[in-house]
Amino acid sequence: MKIAFTTSDGVHINTHFGGSEQIDVYEISDEGYHFLESITFNYEIKEENNESKLAPKIEALGDCTIIYVLAIGGSAAARLIKKGVTPVKARSEEEEVSEVLTKLVKTLKGNPPPWLRKALQPKTKNFADEVENEATV
């Protein structure tokens, strides 16, 4: 599965989802993890509308299972959950990506907690997505 992290330095989970200019994506399994890509977003400093920043991020994370963030607004969290991506807040801006990945690998080998088992379930399309897909065929 793919796990994403909002980061400014590639080491710490230290940026707010809406304002993050970098999201690192990793592939993880009970065997280990490896880095896939850094997705970057460039914004005008004058741009104040966070809502316009959300759509490209949410779209880019469509195949991720979990995203770790320092903070996230309710609207963004709801939109991610609707897409099947579970947002998780880091404990602090000092929390390191590698620590979280190592703990997740260990957890996947054992008995994952209910929230993680739910996040691991295959993504299902909702009725609106199905109707939209049929309409475009």
Side-chain angles (χ1 to χ4, degrees), residues 4 6-7 9 11 14 16 33 40 54 63-64 83-84 120 126:
T6 60
T7 183
D9 61 8
V11 175
N14 60 359
H16 188 287
Y33 64 88
T40 55
L54 296 180
D63 60 347
C64 290
K83 287 281 190 182
L120 293 172
N126 65 32

Tab-separated table of all heavy atoms in Angstrom, residues 4 6-7 9 11 14 16 33 40 54 63-64 83-84 120 126:
chain	number	residue	atom	x	y	z
A	4	ALA	N	1.535	8.386	2.444
A	4	ALA	CA	2.066	9.707	2.116
A	4	ALA	C	2.334	10.511	3.386
A	4	ALA	O	1.729	10.256	4.436
A	4	ALA	CB	1.072	10.454	1.221
A	6	THR	N	3.193	14.723	4.657
A	6	THR	CA	3.445	16.130	4.368
A	6	THR	C	4.740	16.506	5.067
A	6	THR	O	4.918	16.228	6.248
A	6	THR	CB	2.301	17.050	4.831
A	6	THR	OG1	2.116	16.916	6.234
A	6	THR	CG2	1.000	16.730	4.108
A	7	THR	N	5.660	17.101	4.321
A	7	THR	CA	6.990	17.371	4.856
A	7	THR	C	7.617	18.568	4.149
A	7	THR	O	7.304	18.842	2.988
A	7	THR	CB	7.888	16.122	4.702
A	7	THR	OG1	9.153	16.377	5.280
A	7	THR	CG2	8.044	15.697	3.260
A	9	ASP	N	11.122	18.819	4.619
A	9	ASP	CA	12.529	18.421	4.542
A	9	ASP	C	12.738	16.949	4.177
A	9	ASP	O	13.871	16.488	4.110
A	9	ASP	CB	13.236	18.731	5.859
A	9	ASP	CG	12.635	17.994	7.051
A	9	ASP	OD1	11.765	17.111	6.866
A	9	ASP	OD2	13.044	18.309	8.190
A	11	VAL	N	12.243	14.480	5.971
A	11	VAL	CA	12.601	13.722	7.170
A	11	VAL	C	11.475	13.753	8.199
A	11	VAL	O	11.108	12.724	8.758
A	11	VAL	CB	13.900	14.283	7.806
A	11	VAL	CG1	14.208	13.573	9.110
A	11	VAL	CG2	15.057	14.168	6.832
A	14	ASN	N	6.072	17.624	9.109
A	14	ASN	CA	6.093	18.943	9.734
A	14	ASN	C	5.344	20.046	8.994
A	14	ASN	O	5.612	21.219	9.202
A	14	ASN	CB	7.550	19.374	9.958
A	14	ASN	CG	8.331	19.453	8.662
A	14	ASN	OD1	7.821	19.168	7.584
A	14	ASN	ND2	9.589	19.838	8.770
A	16	HIS	N	1.363	21.484	7.453
A	16	HIS	CA	-0.098	21.417	7.385
A	16	HIS	C	-0.479	20.943	5.985
A	16	HIS	O	0.131	21.375	5.000
A	16	HIS	CB	-0.670	22.810	7.674
A	16	HIS	CG	-2.152	22.842	7.815
A	16	HIS	ND1	-2.998	22.716	6.740
A	16	HIS	CD2	-2.929	22.995	8.900
A	16	HIS	CE1	-4.254	22.790	7.164
A	16	HIS	NE2	-4.236	22.957	8.479
A	33	TYR	N	9.604	-1.114	3.537
A	33	TYR	CA	9.104	0.045	2.795
A	33	TYR	C	10.192	0.607	1.892
A	33	TYR	O	11.374	0.348	2.090
A	33	TYR	CB	8.595	1.131	3.748
A	33	TYR	CG	9.651	1.734	4.641
A	33	TYR	CD1	10.408	2.819	4.219
A	33	TYR	CD2	9.900	1.219	5.913
A	33	TYR	CE1	11.382	3.373	5.038
A	33	TYR	CE2	10.867	1.771	6.736
A	33	TYR	CZ	11.601	2.855	6.288
A	33	TYR	OH	12.556	3.398	7.098
A	40	THR	N	5.405	17.642	-5.596
A	40	THR	CA	5.573	19.029	-5.168
A	40	THR	C	4.465	19.898	-5.732
A	40	THR	O	3.949	19.660	-6.829
A	40	THR	CB	6.937	19.592	-5.608
A	40	THR	OG1	7.081	19.449	-7.012
A	40	THR	CG2	8.074	18.862	-4.909
A	54	LEU	N	-6.406	22.437	-2.394
A	54	LEU	CA	-6.762	21.081	-1.978
A	54	LEU	C	-6.983	20.114	-3.135
A	54	LEU	O	-6.531	18.977	-3.085
A	54	LEU	CB	-8.005	21.110	-1.087
A	54	LEU	CG	-7.874	21.837	0.238
A	54	LEU	CD1	-9.192	21.778	0.990
A	54	LEU	CD2	-6.745	21.268	1.073
A	63	ASP	N	-4.401	7.125	-4.910
A	63	ASP	CA	-4.041	5.717	-4.742
A	63	ASP	C	-3.300	5.449	-3.432
A	63	ASP	O	-2.793	4.357	-3.206
A	63	ASP	CB	-3.228	5.208	-5.934
A	63	ASP	CG	-1.932	5.967	-6.144
A	63	ASP	OD1	-1.760	7.048	-5.542
A	63	ASP	OD2	-1.091	5.493	-6.919
A	64	CYS	N	-3.275	6.452	-2.545
A	64	CYS	CA	-2.665	6.267	-1.223
A	64	CYS	C	-3.712	5.758	-0.236
A	64	CYS	O	-4.905	6.006	-0.395
A	64	CYS	CB	-2.080	7.583	-0.706
A	64	CYS	SG	-0.620	8.113	-1.621
A	83	LYS	N	-12.420	9.979	-0.636
A	83	LYS	CA	-11.611	9.338	-1.684
A	83	LYS	C	-10.954	8.044	-1.207
A	83	LYS	O	-10.230	7.394	-1.942
A	83	LYS	CB	-10.507	10.297	-2.160
A	83	LYS	CG	-10.993	11.428	-2.999
A	83	LYS	CD	-11.230	10.959	-4.404
A	83	LYS	CE	-11.479	12.139	-5.314
A	83	LYS	NZ	-11.758	11.732	-6.670
A	84	GLY	N	-11.159	7.696	0.078
A	84	GLY	CA	-10.595	6.462	0.604
A	84	GLY	C	-9.196	6.615	1.173
A	84	GLY	O	-8.488	5.631	1.346
A	120	LEU	N	-6.971	-0.441	5.384
A	120	LEU	CA	-6.392	-1.422	4.470
A	120	LEU	C	-7.432	-2.090	3.569
A	120	LEU	O	-7.064	-2.735	2.591
A	120	LEU	CB	-5.653	-2.510	5.263
A	120	LEU	CG	-4.405	-2.039	5.990
A	120	LEU	CD1	-3.882	-3.152	6.895
A	120	LEU	CD2	-3.343	-1.592	5.016
A	126	ASN	N	-18.337	4.947	-4.525
A	126	ASN	CA	-19.663	5.275	-4.033
A	126	ASN	C	-20.623	5.375	-5.207
A	126	ASN	O	-20.234	5.370	-6.364
A	126	ASN	CB	-19.640	6.549	-3.161
A	126	ASN	CG	-19.259	7.789	-3.937
A	126	ASN	OD1	-19.553	7.912	-5.123
A	126	ASN	ND2	-18.611	8.719	-3.270
